[in-house]
Amino acid sequence: MTTVIDTIINTVRTEGTKMGWSKTEMAAFLAQAEHESASFTRTKEMGYRPERAYQLFPKRFGSLANAKAIYAKSGASGLFEVMYTGKIGNDKPGDGAKYIGRGYIQITGKGNYQLVKKETGVDVIAKPELLEQPEFATLASMVWWQENVHKRIDNFSSTQAVTRIVNGPALLGLPDRVKKFEKWVKII
């Protein structure tokens, strides 16, 4: 029986080779994906509480009271609508909640889902929940990586440089990402 980790490794080796990735780049991808997905256990963006949503997107909510009112009425879906509508390709009502982060490196927004569809032929626009399955979660994250990381990094051994692109300048979780890279570079 094939495990989730076997599926992930096989997909990365097969598709990464097709994409021209070195083994070091594959290890960097796996380290980032493992960290971002809580050791490959999360393939769907978790719902936010109003306080955190407002903290991340204060201009979109206007006030904590507004965020709380939206949450009381519509739950996490309502918060996602406010957070993501009109951004990253979300151009219709409902897109913000429909195209939430999925995959091991959270693919967010209709624009990114369209990229995944274009590059893989898998219709994740009609069935976004496909990105919650290990093979597609891996493949979609690899498509995002190819577009956003692969072209911008010369040295994939620099976990700090890679993390800056994947997670931003705060470098959240850098020690864990370094440890995971050191592990994966020996495995892949």
Side-chain angles (χ1 to χ4, degrees), residues 42-46 48 80 84 88 95-109 113 128 131-132:
R42 293 190 185 129
T43 57
K44 183 177 179 183
E45 187 170 11
M46 296 171 54
Y48 289 98
F80 286 134
Y84 298 140
I88 42 185
D95 283 355
K98 184 174 184 180
Y99 301 110
I100 60 171
R102 289 185 176 91
Y104 293 120
I105 296 178
Q106 301 285 290
I107 308 305
T108 307
Y113 279 64
L131 297 186
E132 296 170 37

Side-chain angles (χ1 to χ4, degrees), residues 19 33 56-57 84 100 102-103 111 117 122 130 143 145-146 150 154 165 174:
M19 294 175 169
L56 293 171
F57 299 91
Y84 298 140
I100 60 171
R102 289 185 176 91
K117 180 182 176 182
V122 178
L130 288 174
V143 167
W145 179 281
Q146 185 76 1
H150 175 80
D154 293 324
I165 294 171
L174 184 61

Side-chain angles (χ1 to χ4, degrees), residues 150-169:
H150 175 80
K151 300 172 184 177
R152 296 171 57 191
I153 295 288
D154 293 324
N155 177 8
F156 287 98
S157 295
S158 174
T159 304
Q160 182 171 338
V162 173
T163 301
R164 187 168 280 115
I165 294 171
V166 172
N167 192 256

Side-chain angles (χ1 to χ4, degrees), residues 7 14 16 19 22 25 40 49 62 71 75 82 85-86 88 104 106-107 114 118 129 149 162 165 168 185:
T7 298
T14 302
M19 294 175 169
S22 66
E25 184 173 2
F40 302 114
R49 303 285 304 158
Y71 186 79
V82 173
T85 293
I88 42 185
Y104 293 120
Q106 301 285 290
I107 308 305
Q114 288 168 330
K118 177 183 164 223
E129 65 278 358
V149 181
V162 173
I165 294 171
V185 83

Side-chain angles (χ1 to χ4, degrees), residues 16-158:
T17 300
K18 290 178 190 174
M19 294 175 169
W21 294 7
S22 66
K23 289 187 181 228
T24 304
E25 184 173 2
M26 290 179 200
F29 169 81
L30 286 162
Q32 295 291 326
E34 183 179 13
H35 179 85
E36 290 288 315
S37 66
S39 297
F40 302 114
T41 62
R42 293 190 185 129
T43 57
K44 183 177 179 183
E45 187 170 11
M46 296 171 54
Y48 289 98
R49 303 285 304 158
E51 296 79 8
R52 181 69 174 147
Y54 175 68
Q55 181 183 30
L56 293 171
F57 299 91
K59 290 179 183 174
R60 288 201 161 244
F61 289 100
S63 71
L64 178 56
N66 286 343
K68 287 181 177 181
I70 291 165
Y71 186 79
K73 181 179 179 187
S74 304
S77 293
L79 297 176
F80 286 134
E81 267 304 292
V82 173
M83 289 162 45
Y84 298 140
T85 293
K87 294 175 65 176
I88 42 185
N90 294 329
D91 55 2
K92 294 180 181 146
D95 283 355
K98 184 174 184 180
Y99 301 110
I100 60 171
R102 289 185 176 91
Y104 293 120
I105 296 178
Q106 301 285 290
I107 308 305
T108 307
K110 190 176 184 179
N112 284 317
Y113 279 64
Q114 288 168 330
L115 174 66
V116 170
K117 180 182 176 182
K118 177 183 164 223
E119 295 298 321
T120 65
V122 178
D123 192 357
V124 297
I125 298 297
K127 294 184 177 183
E129 65 278 358
L130 288 174
L131 297 186
E132 296 170 37
Q133 298 173 13
E135 182 181 359
F136 296 122
T138 305
L139 192 54
S141 298
M142 292 178 76
V143 167
W144 179 88
W145 179 281
Q146 185 76 1
E147 186 71 20
N148 294 283
V149 181
H150 175 80
K151 300 172 184 177
R152 296 171 57 191
I153 295 288
D154 293 324
N155 177 8
F156 287 98
S157 295
S158 174

